[in-house]
Amino acid sequence: MKQLTTAILLLTATITFGQGVKGIVQTTANDGKFEPLIGAVVLWEGTRSGTVSDESGKFSIGVPPNAKRLIISYVGFESDTIVYSGQSNIAVNLRSSEGNTGDVTVIGETSATHINTRDPMNFQTLNEKELCKAACCNLSESFETNASIDATFADAVTGTRQIRMLGLDGRYTQMLFDNQPAVRGLSSTYGLTYVPGPWVKSIYIAKGVGSVVNGFESITGQINVAIKNPDNAERLHINAYAGNSGRTELNLIWTPDMHARQTRDHQHEEHDHDEHIHEAERDHENEGADHAHEEHEHEHEAHEHEGHDHDHDHSVHIHPVFLAHGAISQLRTDMNGDGFLDNPLFSNVVLRNEWHIEGAHGLGAQIALNYLRLRNVSGKLDYDPLDEVRAQLWGVDIGTDRYEATLKAGYVFPEKPWKSFGSQWNMSWHDQSGHYGFRRYKGTQLSGRANLLFASRIGSDKHKFTTGFSYQYDDYVESITFDDIPVLPLSSLQLNRLEIVPGAFFEYTANPSEKVTFVGGLRSDYHNVYGLLVTPRIHARYSVAELTSFKLVAGRGYRTANLLMDNVGILAGNRNIVLSGNDPNGINGMQMEDAWNSGIIFSHKFQLAHREATLTVDAYHTRFNNQVVLDLETPGVAAFYNLEGRSFSNSAQAEMQWSPIRRLEVRTAYRWLEARTDFISGLKDRPLVNRHRAFINLAYETKAKPNGAQWRFDCTVQWISRKRLPYQGAHAGHMEGMENMDGYTPDYFQLMAQATYVFRKNLELYVGGENLTNFMVHDAIINAENPNSELFDGSMLWGPVFGRMGYVGFRWIIPAAEESEH
């Protein structure tokens, strides 16, 4: 009964399904070229689940429950152990064991950014190496060195950062934290600051519509942020940061049972490791013409043994990790001389506690609790909400409290790792309030989400599917009121809504050959206000050659507009907010946003000057059927209405990665955008969207000494073309480039660089700078000299308001034992 109760509790609540790992095992020949290793043994450490590489050096292996390390070995070569953290594609370069060969080189992890040519989705992976190229104090700053995503500020007052993908604001990109929808509703813009950079293990960026398994809200892309957890977090990680803007931060990651867990794992692994390797090698020696059949039988037998071992282990193991973040900034700066703070004053605390539960017989669960408290002050240089006199100045004072709990639990069939049940549960409470000038804002959001999944295959691994049900609940209460004696004739707003959306989905993956992969998904949801929502999506890949592929992505996405928090920049001024929605059945008169996205991608990996290079070219088109339009074309007014006409975005990008010499990585990119919308005044470019962007990132590191000591250098240069600014009335003549009805900003360059010195493997010091060209927008706030005017507006920010920014920080890391050994 106890076991049955445990099973029910775990099954009602997700596990990450064993998505499988593909890879290639190779070695470097005397001529410098790579040669595949045929029959290399690939084995999950501590299990009997293994396979061997084929005649091309390739392998494919399922992911058993609680997989941690993948061992790759070959007779006459040094073995290698890969720490598994969710990656789906691995390339390993084994060195001959003859003579003094030094350390093993894992090619799949040398690049800070990896583009997956085998996945039908246009995936790009940013690992910790990429995230350490800049300060990356939080998630909103983690895309500074990425060519596909624009990291911008929402306005010139609050310091709120936002992202854009394919020329559209970040709200059209679905954000996932550990594969669960996040940064939505009232956190749609601010939510990017809720995850500290040092907490992030990796970021998976998919351009175009995402999987139907995660919901219907993805339109221009999907970003999944993998947060460090008990299975991959360091034993201890301390990171401190200080900048000349007055910003100081401290981050802590602690895995308390790391040593005990490793001792237990190694005791089990030492007993079985040699036997497993020899067994896999014997299977390889007996393989005949029907290699695929032999491999399947071997894996099936291996999991039978694994299931037998589990029968003798009825214990439940719990592994925790604690993450903490604190940040403060109280230095008042005004580098562009407009009389307003360049950066907000703040005091932030973010806490997270996660537990992984390893049950018997394939059961497992993950539980996480999050708490966040943010306090931000911005506005006039002398504004102080706690001082009776200075509180009368125009300023912004925001307080946010957020509580969140997530639960994943499921069951993987011990003898059939490709077959599993899973569930995802999430509950959050978001409370935000404060002043925006003369306005008082109050908003709360209670949200809950359940996702039940079943994954299996049809006949073989060439035909897989995932299906299930979801339920989303969102209760919003929002209001804008004013001080007792309003200076301006501004409108009050009450924006309450309740959304209940049950749904079902089915996603089928076909992999008939190495050259072809097809993923087709369909979900149907019923919205309590907008009715039936049907979401079809497809992703397809065709490999013309071994390292050359074409991909196609197409599908539909929906979302409900969050009028204020989606466009929080309009609160950084005195624009009167006017709602002109004409849908009597819609929320606040607005239709549900509805768009189609399609794209084509070309990827090619090749040798340039005997060094590996990757070229990716993609083109996307996004077209809205319905859209809530924010019209800022009339000075002093922010008008919302439903789209009448066209709204679309076209994007084309070419990106190349190359390592011309050892330890030097070069990444260059160019992107063209056309984002246009029909406003009442006609079809125009979307405001503040640059049509062209060029980008280059250089990263070099010196050869590491035996104790790990080395230098690392990184530099990013980007060119940003002009952006359209809406007409600003009589004040336009005082703004650079605004002499005409529709003005355009000048082009500008930005430069950021960082140098890191690694004293030894677990201790490093970094020094860096942002906006080293010292480019500033001096008239970022319209009518800044008269904050009481209805034309006062800080929402038209098109570039940095601060000059050169310097920072320094250190990282002290005590890694897991396996990471320090390899």
Side-chain angles (χ1 to χ4, degrees):
M1 178 61 69
K2 181 179 179 180
Q3 293 181 356
L4 178 61
T5 303
T6 302
I8 293 174
L9 290 173
L10 292 173
L11 281 173
T12 58
T14 164
I15 192 169
T16 303
F17 293 115
Q19 68 269 31
V21 175
K22 293 182 179 180
I24 184 170
V25 185
Q26 55 197 5
T27 188
T28 304
N30 294 330
D31 59 1
K33 296 183 178 180
F34 296 128
E35 291 184 355
L37 293 179
I38 305 172
V41 177
V42 182
L43 179 75
W44 287 110
E45 194 170 41
T47 75
R48 295 180 181 271
S49 176
T51 186
V52 292
S53 59
D54 61 18
E55 62 276 4
S56 300
K58 300 177 184 177
F59 68 88
S60 178
I61 187 171
V63 181
N66 307 314
K68 297 180 181 68
R69 294 173 290 275
L70 194 64
I71 300 174
I72 297 93
S73 61
Y74 193 80
V75 177
F77 289 78
E78 290 189 353
S79 298
D80 186 24
T81 301
I82 306 298
V83 177
Y84 177 70
S85 59
Q87 61 267 46
S88 60
N89 195 29
I90 295 174
V92 181
N93 192 42
L94 298 184
R95 293 184 178 182
S96 172
S97 59
E98 298 178 1
N100 184 13
T101 57
D103 295 333
V104 172
T105 301
V106 183
I107 302 228
E109 296 185 352
T110 56
S111 178
T113 301
H114 173 67
I115 297 175
N116 193 331
T117 59
R118 293 184 174 274
D119 196 296
M121 297 182 73
N122 187 15
F123 258 123
Q124 188 179 51
T125 303
L126 281 59
N127 59 27
E128 288 183 273
K129 185 176 179 180
E130 177 72 14
L131 298 175
C132 288
K133 287 183 176 182
C136 291
C137 295
N138 57 59
L139 186 60
S140 69
E141 301 168 336
S142 300
F143 305 102
E144 299 282 357
T145 59
N146 186 270
S148 298
I149 297 177
D150 291 313
T152 64
F153 285 92
D155 58 78
V157 177
T158 66
T160 305
R161 287 179 177 260
Q162 63 181 5
I163 63 171
R164 289 195 183 98
M165 184 182 289
L166 305 185
L168 296 172
D169 291 338
R171 60 180 177 269
Y172 298 111
T173 300
Q174 186 180 36
M175 295 293 304
L176 308 173
F177 292 167
D178 289 332
N179 222 31
Q180 295 198 69
V183 189
R184 53 185 305 277
L186 300 189
S187 66
S188 60
T189 300
Y190 289 111
L192 291 174
T193 65
Y194 296 170
V195 179
W199 291 13
V200 178
K201 183 67 176 178
S202 55
I203 300 175
Y204 303 92
I205 301 173
K207 296 167 72 173
V209 291
S211 169
V212 296
V213 174
N214 301 117
F216 54 78
E217 292 182 325
S218 169
I219 293 177
T220 59
Q222 191 175 74
I223 300 177
N224 182 28
V225 180
I227 301 174
K228 293 179 181 178
N229 59 54
D231 295 333
N232 58 38
E234 302 91 342
R235 193 181 311 175
L236 178 66
H237 182 145
I238 299 176
N239 168 252
Y241 166 98
N244 68 341
S245 64
R247 177 176 182 172
T248 57
E249 298 196 3
L250 181 65
N251 296 280
L252 171 67
I253 301 173
W254 177 45
T255 310
D257 75 332
M258 178 70 73
H259 179 71
R261 189 179 76 217
Q262 288 168 353
T263 301
R264 183 184 67 249
D265 290 344
H266 285 304
Q267 288 175 347
H268 176 73
E269 291 156 6
E270 287 173 359
H271 177 75
D272 292 338
H273 175 69
D274 291 338
E275 179 185 351
H276 296 168
I277 292 292
H278 293 314
E279 180 180 340
E281 288 176 345
R282 287 195 301 270
D283 284 347
H284 171 60
E285 291 172 358
N286 294 330
E287 73 173 351
D290 192 2
H291 173 77
H293 178 72
E294 289 278 348
E295 183 177 320
H296 172 72
E297 291 297 325
H298 167 64
E299 289 189 3
H300 180 71
E301 180 182 355
H303 286 292
E304 283 183 348
H305 287 292
E306 184 181 359
H308 178 72
D309 291 340
H310 280 299
D311 288 340
H312 293 82
D313 183 9
H314 300 288
S315 60
V316 175
H317 303 292
I318 301 177
H319 311 299
V321 66
F322 300 92
L323 302 95
H325 165 84
I328 189 170
S329 178
Q330 297 300 318
L331 180 64
R332 297 173 182 266
T333 59
D334 180 20
M335 299 180 70
N336 69 341
D338 61 4
F340 283 74
L341 290 165
D342 294 331
N343 296 292
L345 312 178
F346 59 81
S347 59
N348 301 335
V349 175
V350 188
L351 303 174
R352 178 180 175 89
N353 193 187
E354 183 170 350
W355 299 269
H356 282 194
I357 303 172
E358 298 178 8
H361 309 294
L363 292 171
Q366 303 170 13
I367 303 172
L369 301 177
N370 293 268
Y371 169 70
L372 174 142
R373 180 185 183 273
L374 306 182
R375 298 295 183 268
N376 284 35
V377 173
S378 56
K380 291 289 289 184
L381 187 62
D382 295 326
Y383 173 72
D384 185 351
L386 301 180
D387 184 277
E388 185 176 350
V389 176
R390 295 163 68 185
Q392 303 305 313
L393 300 173
W394 202 102
V396 176
D397 176 22
I398 309 170
T400 303
D401 292 278
R402 183 179 176 88
Y403 304 84
E404 186 170 12
T406 62
L407 173 63
K408 297 180 178 182
Y411 174 74
V412 177
F413 290 76
E415 299 179 5
K416 300 177 181 179
W418 37 264
K419 187 176 183 180
S420 58
F421 291 102
S423 60
Q424 300 172 326
W425 307 81
N426 178 280
M427 181 68 72
S428 65
W429 169 257
H430 184 101
D431 186 356
Q432 182 175 323
S433 61
H435 274 82
Y436 289 87
F438 304 112
R439 298 179 171 101
R440 292 178 180 268
Y441 173 82
K442 175 66 176 177
T444 61
Q445 176 185 349
L446 174 63
S447 292
R449 184 177 186 271
N451 205 27
L452 306 179
L453 310 96
F454 173 70
S456 187
R457 67 186 187 187
I458 304 174
S460 70
D461 285 340
K462 293 184 176 181
H463 303 278
K464 300 178 181 179
F465 69 90
T466 301
T467 188
F469 301 92
S470 65
Y471 183 88
Q472 180 71 47
Y473 175 92
D474 293 296
D475 187 5
Y476 298 88
V477 178
E478 279 187 288
S479 65
I480 282 187
T481 56
F482 300 94
D483 293 330
D484 296 335
I485 306 175
V487 178
L488 299 170
L490 302 176
S491 301
S492 298
L493 294 175
Q494 188 71 38
L495 304 174
N496 301 343
R497 73 180 193 267
L498 175 66
E499 294 185 79
I500 300 175
V501 190
F505 56 87
F506 183 87
E507 187 172 78
Y508 165 71
T509 301
N511 191 198
S513 70
E514 284 291 323
K515 290 187 175 183
V516 179
T517 305
F518 172 83
V519 179
L522 180 68
R523 67 175 296 128
S524 178
D525 298 89
Y526 190 82
H527 194 285
N528 63 311
V529 176
Y530 295 106
L532 183 65
L533 309 176
V534 178
T535 310
R537 293 175 184 173
I538 62 169
H539 301 85
R541 174 191 65 90
Y542 174 70
S543 295
V544 180
E546 173 66 21
L547 299 175
T548 305
S549 65
F550 285 92
K551 299 179 182 180
L552 177 68
V553 55
R556 194 176 193 175
Y558 303 88
R559 68 180 303 276
T560 302
N562 304 285
L563 302 182
L564 298 179
M565 289 300 105
D566 282 355
N567 309 280
V568 69
I570 64 174
L571 298 180
N574 295 334
R575 285 181 178 267
N576 190 31
I577 301 173
V578 179
L579 306 186
S580 302
N582 57 2
D583 184 353
N585 298 318
I587 296 174
N588 300 309
M590 302 299 169
Q591 298 173 341
M592 183 169 235
E593 296 192 296
D594 172 9
W596 287 89
N597 176 278
S598 59
I600 185 169
I601 305 97
F602 168 78
S603 297
H604 178 54
K605 292 188 175 183
F606 58 98
Q607 295 284 320
L608 179 60
H610 303 289
R611 302 287 296 175
E612 183 175 301
T614 302
L615 174 66
T616 303
V617 180
D618 59 51
Y620 288 86
H621 173 71
T622 307
R623 174 177 56 82
F624 283 89
N625 297 327
N626 300 320
Q627 186 181 25
V628 175
V629 176
L630 170 59
D631 191 332
L632 303 176
E633 306 300 315
T634 302
V637 177
F640 290 94
Y641 49 80
N642 293 310
L643 175 69
E644 293 185 7
R646 296 183 297 161
S647 183
F648 61 88
S649 170
N650 295 316
S651 169
Q653 177 174 306
E655 181 174 358
M656 180 175 171
Q657 294 183 198
W658 182 41
S659 177
I661 61 175
R662 282 190 174 185
R663 300 183 298 278
L664 174 64
E665 293 183 10
V666 179
R667 188 163 73 251
T668 60
Y670 167 76
R671 191 198 59 214
W672 171 85
L673 284 174
E674 181 188 27
R676 312 200 77 194
T677 298
D678 262 317
F679 299 97
I680 292 177
S681 54
L683 182 65
K684 297 182 178 182
D685 289 343
R686 292 182 66 86
L688 306 176
V689 177
N690 50 295
R691 184 159 290 199
H692 306 278
R693 182 188 179 204
F695 170 99
I696 182 169
N697 175 262
L698 304 174
Y700 176 74
E701 59 185 41
T702 61
K703 185 176 181 179
K705 296 179 180 179
N707 67 346
Q710 66 174 165
W711 281 95
R712 294 199 297 261
F713 303 94
D714 188 86
C715 178
T716 301
V717 182
Q718 59 177 328
W719 167 67
I720 299 173
S721 72
R722 67 179 193 170
K723 306 174 183 178
R724 187 182 76 85
L725 288 170
Y727 175 57
Q728 299 302 320
H731 192 71
H734 300 287
M735 298 185 64
E736 183 178 3
M738 286 296 295
E739 291 78 12
N740 301 317
M741 289 291 291
D742 282 331
Y744 285 87
T745 70
D747 302 357
Y748 65 94
F749 287 87
Q750 280 201 303
L751 169 65
M752 59 185 295
Q754 179 178 281
T756 302
Y757 182 68
V758 182
F759 294 94
R760 55 181 186 269
K761 289 183 179 179
N762 66 336
L763 180 63
E764 56 189 58
L765 176 73
Y766 58 92
V767 179
E770 300 177 4
N771 191 26
L772 296 178
T773 57
N774 203 35
F775 178 82
M776 284 183 286
V777 181
H778 293 279
D779 51 8
I781 301 177
I782 300 171
N783 215 10
E785 66 280 1
N786 186 13
N788 293 336
S789 167
E790 63 180 5
L791 298 180
F792 171 76
D793 185 10
S795 65
M796 294 290 104
L797 182 63
W798 54 270
V801 297
F802 49 83
R804 295 184 185 93
M805 298 282 288
Y807 60 86
V808 62
F810 78 89
R811 303 180 185 95
W812 180 43
I813 300 172
I814 299 179
E818 67 272 16
E819 292 175 344
S820 61
E821 294 171 1
H822 297 282

